[in-house]
Amino acid sequence: MNKFVKIAIVFLLLCLIIGGGIYFKNVSIGNYVIENVTINKVTVGNNEVVIDGFLNSSGKAYKNYDYQLVGSELYVNIREVLVSNKYNSGAFRITVPVNGSSIQDIYLSDGSNTKVIYNKNIEN
């Protein structure tokens, strides 16, 4: 093989690996998001917090969430992925167990930014 063919094959393999990694991240792993999230309702009970909402982007679907309870503050991270057969809806209903903790504030977080979605002292 000449030098051009070897370089072309290496270039194509690199593109395939990088493209596959980007596709895998966007379809399987996803990203945390706060900008494109609309919260319809937040209900705070003694043992759980229920958050109803949806993602505004038609090309994104809700995948899952995780949370962190710090004192009386609850931080919720919502993960979005590209729409696929497995994840095909942007609507979500999240139920977070709080086991009797008094929740004052609830934040959406993407790891670097936060947005208040509930404050006990403000009528919600």
Side-chain angles (χ1 to χ4, degrees), residues 4-69:
F4 175 75
V5 173
K6 289 179 184 179
I7 291 173
I9 290 173
V10 169
F11 178 74
L12 287 174
L13 286 175
L14 282 174
C15 288
L16 184 64
I17 291 169
I18 291 170
I22 292 170
Y23 178 81
F24 179 76
K25 176 158 182 359
N26 287 320
V27 173
S28 297
I29 298 173
N31 300 307
Y32 289 123
V33 62
I34 62 172
E35 311 87 34
N36 299 324
V37 176
T38 298
I39 302 299
N40 294 330
K41 185 177 179 183
V42 177
T43 307
V44 178
N46 290 335
N47 293 317
E48 66 185 15
V49 171
V50 179
I51 304 170
D52 291 308
F54 62 92
L55 300 175
N56 297 326
S57 176
S58 62
K60 300 288 185 164
Y62 167 77
K63 181 179 181 186
N64 60 18
Y65 75 97
D66 57 34
Y67 68 93
Q68 183 177 11
L69 186 58

Side-chain angles (χ1 to χ4, degrees), residues 43-109:
T43 307
V44 178
N46 290 335
N47 293 317
E48 66 185 15
V49 171
V50 179
I51 304 170
D52 291 308
F54 62 92
L55 300 175
N56 297 326
S57 176
S58 62
K60 300 288 185 164
Y62 167 77
K63 181 179 181 186
N64 60 18
Y65 75 97
D66 57 34
Y67 68 93
Q68 183 177 11
L69 186 58
V70 179
S72 63
E73 298 178 338
L74 178 64
Y75 295 86
V76 178
N77 303 312
I78 295 175
R79 189 178 294 272
E80 68 176 9
V81 293
L82 290 175
V83 172
S84 65
N85 289 336
K86 186 174 182 180
Y87 303 107
N88 55 18
S89 175
F92 57 85
R93 181 180 186 96
I94 296 171
T95 303
V96 179
V98 293
N99 302 325
S101 297
S102 176
I103 303 297
Q104 296 292 318
D105 298 303
I106 301 174
Y107 301 93
L108 279 183
S109 176

